[in-house]
Amino acid sequence: MSKVEEFEELRPLLFSIAYRILGSVGEAEDAVQETWLRFDGSATLPTSTKAFLSAAVTRISIDVLRSARVRREQYVGPWFPEPLLSDPYEDPARAAELADSVSTAALLLLERLSPLERAVFVLREVFGFGFDEIAAAVGRSEAACRQLLVRARRHMQTGRPRFEAARAEREELAARFFDALCDGDVGGLQELLAADVSMVGDGGGKAPQLARAIVGARNVARLLAAVYPGLSRLGIAIERQEINGQPGALFRDRDGKVLQTLALDVLDGRIQALRSVINPDKLGHLGPVADAWALHREARRVRRPAH
């Protein structure tokens, strides 16, 4: 097997590691590309290609995350990871860990960790790497990695998401939600929302976004029913998709360009949180991006009563 073939076989794993450490599709893809350059430029073949590449992409991702954290502290409004429609890496033996770890809720919890804690947690808890492999990847002793994992678990357990609903149950609830959303059915929406549901948007200061989180089933239902049905008059289409392993949708303008994503967190038969990403910088990997500000101005003109 050639170097290229070996690398391409492991590319899905490398991307999945990098994305969970970074929460960014673009940065993860760049980390994988840099890993290839290091592998291709290596004069000697490693004993284990998987171990070599996993360690390389982990170290690169840690370095990128350290600089990214400074930018995220200066971010305008809530920061969410870039939406991921499908995880390229599959492992039936770890399917539950993989699905849970890519959810927006889990990735936001990972933001609480230091870059080293995050890397150790991802490699061990999500991908099942041995401590000897983790130690080589992050440049610490096995004992130090065990301590990093203990601290990471402690942080994660305080707010770890529990997506207990079966896939079929989640999909049925999501279908009812989007039907009620398109109809502007306040009562139908409120029935599907948890009492303390929250709705938050990530515009990064580059697109219209909520000034603050909207909390409470009635408040969220009324806002949804007031805003979303009007989008159809602007030619906005709702395309059902899984967003980070959870029910959600892509919103496209009349030209098919991506306006935003909306992801639903489902637990105990109710929607616990709604998170939208409308920052155009986070949507480019999904296709051409719509002009959200232009649509916002058009929507205001449509709503404004004629004199």
Side-chain angles (χ1 to χ4, degrees):
M1 186 182 292
S2 69
K3 258 190 171 183
V4 172
E5 290 170 330
E6 282 189 285
F7 184 83
E8 289 302 322
E9 186 175 272
L10 290 165
R11 180 188 287 273
L13 170 63
L14 303 179
F15 173 85
S16 293
I17 291 172
Y19 177 76
R20 285 165 174 81
I21 294 175
L22 294 167
S24 164
V25 173
E27 289 175 346
E29 289 174 342
D30 289 345
V32 172
Q33 181 60 24
E34 177 63 26
T35 300
W36 160 250
L37 293 175
R38 293 188 185 184
F39 182 49
D40 188 44
S42 175
T44 58
L45 287 176
T47 305
S48 167
T49 302
K50 177 184 176 182
F52 175 88
L53 294 177
S54 299
V57 81
T58 298
R59 286 193 292 268
I60 291 166
S61 297
I62 289 171
D63 290 342
V64 172
L65 182 60
R66 283 175 173 148
S67 61
R69 287 170 76 90
V70 176
R71 296 194 302 274
R72 291 175 192 177
E73 288 171 1
Q74 302 165 345
Y75 195 79
V76 178
W79 180 94
F80 292 159
E82 290 182 11
L84 186 69
L85 300 190
S86 62
D87 187 358
Y89 179 70
E90 296 180 359
D91 179 357
R94 305 193 67 81
E97 292 91 340
L98 289 169
D100 198 31
S101 66
V102 82
S103 71
T104 301
L107 291 171
L108 289 174
L109 280 176
L110 284 170
E111 286 289 307
R112 301 179 181 182
L113 309 183
S114 72
L116 276 177
E117 289 171 346
R118 187 164 180 165
V120 169
F121 185 89
V122 166
L123 291 177
R124 180 64 180 177
E125 297 291 285
V126 180
F127 296 98
F129 278 62
F131 279 104
D132 56 337
E133 298 170 297
I134 297 171
V138 302
R140 296 292 190 274
S141 68
E142 290 188 36
C145 289
R146 291 179 188 276
Q147 286 302 310
L148 287 165
L149 181 63
V150 168
R151 291 203 298 269
R153 282 175 173 165
R154 189 180 304 129
H155 285 299
M156 293 292 288
Q157 285 170 354
T158 58
R160 190 128 191 209
R162 298 177 295 117
F163 300 118
E164 297 170 344
R167 178 178 293 272
E169 180 185 340
R170 294 202 317 258
E171 288 304 313
E172 190 271 338
L173 189 148
R176 290 168 57 200
F177 169 84
F178 285 108
D179 285 345
L181 182 66
C182 292
D183 292 340
D185 180 358
V186 175
L189 287 166
Q190 189 169 340
E191 179 185 337
L192 302 172
L193 302 173
D196 59 349
V197 65
S198 66
M199 181 174 175
V200 189
D202 174 351
K206 298 185 178 183
Q209 67 186 75
L210 297 170
R212 56 182 174 78
I214 307 301
V215 179
R218 181 164 177 77
N219 293 333
V220 172
R222 292 176 67 179
L223 176 64
L224 291 170
V227 172
Y228 282 89
L231 295 180
S232 62
R233 295 194 292 272
L234 301 177
I236 304 299
I238 299 177
E239 178 184 303
R240 290 282 310 281
Q241 289 274 4
E242 274 203 349
I243 308 292
N244 289 80
Q246 299 301 311
L250 280 178
F251 291 72
R252 297 185 184 272
D253 70 6
R254 59 175 64 92
D255 298 319
K257 295 180 179 178
V258 178
L259 172 63
Q260 71 172 83
T261 62
L262 180 67
L264 314 177
D265 285 355
V266 177
L267 178 65
D268 296 331
R270 292 289 186 273
I271 296 168
Q272 306 289 324
L274 301 93
R275 298 186 179 92
S276 65
V277 174
I278 197 169
N279 182 345
D281 293 347
K282 295 186 174 185
L283 300 173
H285 63 285
L286 302 176
V289 179
D291 185 339
W293 283 115
L295 286 165
H296 179 66
R297 290 190 293 270
E298 186 178 350
R300 293 184 65 180
R301 287 196 300 271
V302 169
R303 290 197 300 267
R304 188 179 298 132
H307 296 288

